[in-house]
Amino acid sequence: MAILEIKHVSKFFGGLAANSNVSFEMAQGMIMGLIGPNGAGKTTLFNCITGYYPPSQGDVIFDGHRMNGLHPDAVCKLGMARTWQKVRPLAKMSVVDNVMVGALCRTNSLKVAREMAIERIKIVGLENRAKVLAGSLPIGERKKLEVARVLATQPKLLLLDEVMGGLNPTESEEIIQLILDIKEIGITQMVIEHDMKAIMRISDRIVVLSSGEKLAEGNPQEIVSNKAVVDAYLGGD
Amino acid sequence: MRSFMHNMRGASVFPILLTVAGATALFLLPNFVESTYALHIMILIFISVIMGTGWNILGGYTGQYSVGHAAYFGIGAYTTLILMQYHQVAPWYGVWAGVVVAVAIALVVGSICFRLRGPYFVLASIAVAEIFRVTALNLRLTNGAEGILITDIPPFKIGNAVVTDFMSKVPFYYIGLVILIFAIIVTWMVQNSKLGYYFQAIREDQDAAHSLGINLTTYKNAALAISVVFTSMAGSLYGLYVGFIDPSTVLALDLSVHIVMICIIGGIGTIWGPAIGAVILVPFSEALRSNMIAQALIDSGIISENSRIGAFLKDQLSHAHVLIYGILLVIVILYMPDGILGFARKLLAKRRKEAA
């Protein structure tokens, strides 16, 4: 059974269609790549899925729940968590406190939350930075903190918005490994990424958006050989 | 990890001991201090600490800078005094009635104003407080601009035994101290609970907090409610102590600013920040207001009373307390953005680093 179904989702801002009639499904445990040129509507689709905007038309069905109109906090409690393209560390709180805020979504006990947080911090490899203020981390570690924090909310589905953006090749490689590790744990992921090599490596399936519409969907091999996709990216006629 | 826990415990025992010692000293103080003026200043400090600590939960921990907390101070004061003066309700019930009314009104205001963020929320909070001031000025219930003067406070009895008759300042001192300790304990509990983590997450980044499963409206309102409990109690205590309230004292914008100043100067989002801020600000503004500083300068012979400067200071300094307040605020924000407590912590950390 599909964990996430996007059914004919459209989002209009005034007369502008940021998403129009996008539909696809995600199976449990897979990694779905979401790609497209700048302004294709990838982040808008994320926002529609996670409750930041209600979709103008269509339905988002997650784990049997219809998500339209749910607020982000309710979405998180149902088991869907997201990271942000522009990282949002809780700057004046330590790394472990940041992750604890995520963990407190599932428990009221600080002690349990701290244990859960330390576990997630180990997964992303920030254990020796646990007591540092989040605001003083360099960008690579902020991205990892972001992932640890959403992992602590115990999601079934994780939406990663450009977690590799602005990273050097070594750091990107670490994040790729991290995404594959998370897949091993059994968490389904949807990944927005501009780095084509990375996205081809990690994705089981890829959806291509262009000007708000779904241009193509398939496994990585199908996508690289799809003429419409190549045209959209390289500007064919 | 183990040594980390150990360190944390080692570090937390000392402040607790210090706090208990300080509280004991404050409890014993009235036995040794004869001066009613000293007690008067202490009571004013307590009231300021209580309202500052209340504001700190909302402004300091949750990051919602309300510059309208005088509204809740005033609502607490008016409720208690109206009930006592016109309906013969004893103040120890009236204080709680004040809390209930203030929190109920705060939650209505909060569910409207918390849709706004940053400076817009600040402006809305000022506007709301002004609405209450103008309302109190024109309502018969609150006796308009004349305010409410209380004749006398009924004695506090348990059974038939009179605990206190409120004839001296001492009972107010102890009531203030107990509420203050209660406020500090609540702050400590908030800081060390899920609430505290959620409040701080909202302060640091609302959207991130929202996406991590935090219901913003619920938790902002929770912070407001806790905050208003203490602000309202401070108001009731003030009204009972001074015996007279009117819109221009308990509902004034000045008062809202004073509450915020206490926290900014002491250190926002810390347990002891408001206490430190009040201990510095209250005696300072009292000294200015009662012309003590000018008099001291003249008495000590630094400035002659007959000189131009001496005469000027003696005439004008007491009117300048708001100006000096402003200058103080500018200095603190420029050089100590985390308040005196934050500044002291930074110095300590620096020294420790140099030692290591």
Side-chain angles (χ1 to χ4, degrees):
Chain A
M1 190 195 120
I3 188 166
L4 182 73
E5 292 172 65
I6 314 268
K7 290 182 175 172
H8 311 291
V9 165
S10 299
K11 178 69 194 173
F12 304 107
F13 294 109
L16 179 81
N19 289 135
S20 54
N21 202 16
V22 177
S23 301
F24 60 89
E25 288 187 359
M26 283 178 72
Q28 172 75 44
M30 73 181 297
I31 295 179
M32 171 75 87
L34 187 59
I35 62 172
N38 288 329
K42 305 182 292 290
T43 299
T44 303
L45 187 61
F46 257 39
N47 286 338
C48 283
I49 297 172
T50 51
Y52 278 84
Y53 313 137
S56 308
Q57 285 165 14
D59 289 319
V60 175
I61 298 182
F62 168 67
D63 208 20
H65 302 275
R66 190 165 169 272
M67 307 297 277
N68 307 24
L70 282 186
H71 286 292
D73 52 303
V75 169
C76 176
K77 289 218 170 73
L78 282 174
M80 181 172 5
R82 67 161 316 167
T83 67
W84 300 82
Q85 185 171 358
K86 179 181 170 293
V87 286
R88 294 174 175 274
L90 309 173
K92 285 189 181 167
M93 299 171 79
S94 69
V95 166
V96 71
D97 285 348
N98 264 263
V99 184
M100 278 172 73
V101 170
L104 284 167
C105 173
R106 300 290 171 210
T107 171
N108 289 325
S109 149
L110 289 191
K111 194 164 165 276
V112 176
R114 180 165 283 125
E115 282 162 11
M116 281 162 56
I118 289 168
E119 206 176 293
R120 302 310 188 284
I121 289 172
K122 279 184 186 149
I123 294 176
V124 303
L126 284 178
E127 56 266 40
N128 48 19
R129 307 288 271 163
K131 283 189 276 174
V132 175
L133 285 187
S136 65
L137 294 178
I139 180 73
E141 291 181 337
R142 284 185 189 205
K143 296 264 182 185
K144 288 180 188 169
L145 170 62
E146 197 98 332
V147 175
R149 202 168 64 186
V150 288
L151 276 180
T153 66
Q154 303 186 351
K156 295 175 198 148
L157 172 64
L158 201 55
L159 294 94
L160 304 174
D161 196 349
E162 288 202 33
V163 271
M164 285 171 240
L167 300 189
N168 66 35
T170 328
E171 290 167 334
S172 292
E173 187 56 39
E174 285 173 357
I175 296 281
I176 290 174
Q177 205 49 55
L178 180 57
I179 292 173
L180 295 173
D181 288 346
I182 294 170
K183 186 186 178 186
E184 285 296 303
I185 305 170
I187 298 172
T188 317
Q189 295 172 86
M190 192 190 301
V191 183
I192 294 182
E193 204 41 79
H194 274 303
D195 182 341
M196 282 306 138
K197 256 189 210 154
I199 205 88
M200 293 301 161
R201 240 176 85 194
I202 58 176
S203 304
D204 298 306
R205 278 184 85 74
I206 292 174
V207 165
V208 187
L209 289 184
S210 178
S211 313
E213 292 172 38
K214 186 170 95 171
L215 195 62
E217 182 184 348
N219 63 38
Q221 288 75 27
E222 289 166 5
I223 294 298
V224 281
S225 54
N226 184 312
K227 186 166 182 306
V229 175
V230 174
D231 284 352
Y233 267 90
L234 300 179
D237 46 9
Chain B
M1 199 57 218
R2 188 166 227 190
S3 72
F4 170 53
M5 287 305 289
H6 182 78
N7 277 341
M8 275 196 24
R9 249 178 233 159
S12 64
V13 169
F14 182 64
I16 288 175
L17 279 177
L18 202 67
T19 308
V20 171
T24 318
L26 284 174
F27 264 105
L28 296 175
L29 191 73
N31 297 328
F32 302 104
V33 175
E34 300 273 297
S35 151
T36 49
Y37 186 66
L39 278 186
H40 170 70
I41 295 293
M42 289 302 286
I43 294 167
L44 290 186
I45 291 176
F46 289 169
I47 292 171
S48 283
V49 177
I50 296 165
M51 61 195 188
T53 304
W55 186 88
N56 194 33
I57 298 279
L58 181 68
Y61 284 94
T62 321
Q64 308 300 309
Y65 295 133
S66 158
V67 191
H69 257 44
Y72 309 113
F73 186 90
I75 290 168
Y78 268 106
T79 309
T80 310
L81 264 62
I82 289 171
L83 284 176
M84 193 184 83
Q85 194 63 21
Y86 303 123
H87 303 278
Q88 286 76 46
V89 177
W92 36 99
Y93 303 118
V95 170
W96 295 107
V99 166
V100 171
V101 174
V103 169
I105 291 177
L107 291 180
V108 175
V109 171
S111 45
I112 300 166
C113 292
F114 281 140
R115 292 154 198 263
L116 304 169
R117 292 183 178 195
Y120 302 103
F121 174 78
V122 175
L123 290 175
S125 71
I126 296 174
V128 167
E130 284 298 287
I131 289 171
F132 282 109
R133 187 181 63 83
V134 174
T135 308
L137 209 50
N138 291 290
L139 228 53
R140 189 179 288 169
L141 177 72
T142 52
N143 217 5
E146 281 173 43
I148 293 173
L149 181 71
I150 56 177
T151 38
D152 59 345
I153 303 174
F156 180 30
K157 290 181 192 169
I158 295 177
N160 280 327
V162 175
V163 179
T164 173
D165 54 9
F166 296 100
M167 287 316 219
S168 74
K169 293 187 189 301
V170 176
F172 293 103
Y173 178 93
Y174 281 117
I175 294 170
L177 183 57
V178 168
I179 301 177
L180 184 160
I181 291 172
F182 179 47
I184 298 274
I185 290 174
V186 168
T187 307
W188 184 87
M189 282 165 60
V190 165
Q191 189 178 301
N192 292 286
S193 72
K194 180 173 179 171
L195 271 184
Y197 276 82
Y198 273 18
F199 289 172
Q200 292 178 66
I202 292 172
R203 177 187 70 201
E204 292 301 318
D205 191 319
Q206 293 196 33
D207 287 321
H210 208 180
S211 75
L212 293 170
I214 300 175
N215 185 325
L216 296 180
T217 321
T218 307
Y219 282 93
K220 283 180 187 176
N221 275 318
L224 177 65
I226 299 172
S227 167
V228 164
V229 167
F230 294 113
T231 313
S232 156
M233 283 177 124
S236 301
L237 181 62
Y238 174 87
L240 292 169
Y241 174 61
V242 175
F244 170 70
I245 54 172
D246 71 343
S248 67
T249 51
V250 297
L251 285 166
L253 183 57
D254 277 15
L255 177 64
S256 295
V257 174
H258 173 71
I259 299 175
V260 179
M261 287 272 296
I262 289 168
C263 296
I264 291 181
I265 287 181
I268 266 179
T270 57
I271 292 179
W272 294 107
I276 291 171
V279 165
I280 291 168
L281 266 191
V282 173
F284 187 65
S285 72
E286 276 302 303
L288 275 175
R289 218 179 300 200
S290 59
N291 228 357
M292 237 191 250
I293 292 179
Q295 200 59 50
L297 285 173
I298 291 163
D299 290 348
S300 63
I302 296 175
I303 296 167
S304 150
E305 192 172 353
N306 302 321
S307 75
R308 224 189 235 172
I309 296 174
F312 176 76
L313 285 181
K314 204 176 171 199
D315 283 349
Q316 304 297 333
L317 199 58
S318 63
H319 302 299
H321 81 271
V322 179
L323 175 70
I324 292 177
Y325 242 54
I327 294 172
L328 197 65
L329 183 66
V330 170
I331 292 173
V332 167
I333 288 179
L334 275 181
Y335 298 103
M336 303 186 248
D338 296 322
I340 290 170
L341 202 64
F343 184 71
R345 274 192 190 152
K346 240 182 232 164
L347 273 188
L348 259 174
K350 210 177 180 185
R351 198 174 283 175
R352 231 176 256 162
K353 221 178 197 177
E354 280 168 3

